[in-house]
Amino acid sequence: MANDRLRALEEVENQIATILLCAGNIVLELSKDKHNASFLDRQLSQFTGSVNRVETELSSQIRYLTQVATGQPHEGSTYSARKDCQMALNRAEYARVKLGELGRTCEVMLDPQP
């Protein structure tokens, strides 16, 4: 699941590169005295298609991250369970330390002083 998300983001990165390339080609063509309309149409079509794909994929990624970040149950996430487990381990360690301190205090109070 995570690898699929990373691959999708890599594809978004490639689409952004395509967007920049098309934009550069369009600007370059428009800077000419006589520009090729069919070339501009192809570049514009590729530009808008890439922008739409990037927008769609990024929206999907944002929806996924919103779901994960708000703690809603979703398929494949173990973050909440790992967090709960880590917090329980922290509480257990704290209790162990406090019990050790209490034990030492009791030993000091019960140990006869010469």
Side-chain angles (χ1 to χ4, degrees):
M1 181 87 173
N3 287 337
D4 293 339
R5 296 227 171 257
L6 289 176
R7 276 190 222 101
L9 288 174
E10 287 175 357
E11 180 57 31
V12 165
E13 186 177 7
N14 291 336
Q15 290 297 318
I16 291 171
T18 300
I19 289 168
L20 294 173
L21 180 65
C22 290
N25 288 340
I26 290 169
V27 169
L28 185 64
E29 188 64 27
L30 288 174
S31 69
K32 296 178 181 175
D33 288 336
K34 183 169 172 102
H35 33 269
N36 183 342
S38 65
F39 176 76
L40 285 172
D41 287 341
R42 284 193 312 273
Q43 290 297 302
L44 182 60
S45 176
Q46 190 174 4
F47 177 88
T48 54
S50 293
V51 167
N52 289 335
R53 283 189 291 279
V54 165
E55 183 179 15
T56 301
E57 184 56 39
L58 288 180
S59 294
S60 171
Q61 294 282 343
I62 289 169
R63 278 192 305 277
Y64 171 77
L65 291 173
T66 301
Q67 186 180 24
V68 172
T70 60
Q72 293 177 356
H74 68 286
E75 201 174 293
S77 175
T78 60
Y79 174 76
S80 180
R82 287 192 326 249
K83 180 180 168 190
D84 291 344
C85 181
Q86 187 61 48
M87 293 302 291
L89 290 172
N90 290 345
R91 288 189 299 273
E93 178 63 19
Y94 179 77
R96 186 188 68 75
V97 167
K98 288 299 179 182
L99 286 172
E101 290 173 3
L102 181 62
R104 285 189 291 283
T105 302
C106 288
E107 286 176 3
V108 167
M109 294 180 79
L110 296 174
D111 194 23
Q113 298 290 328

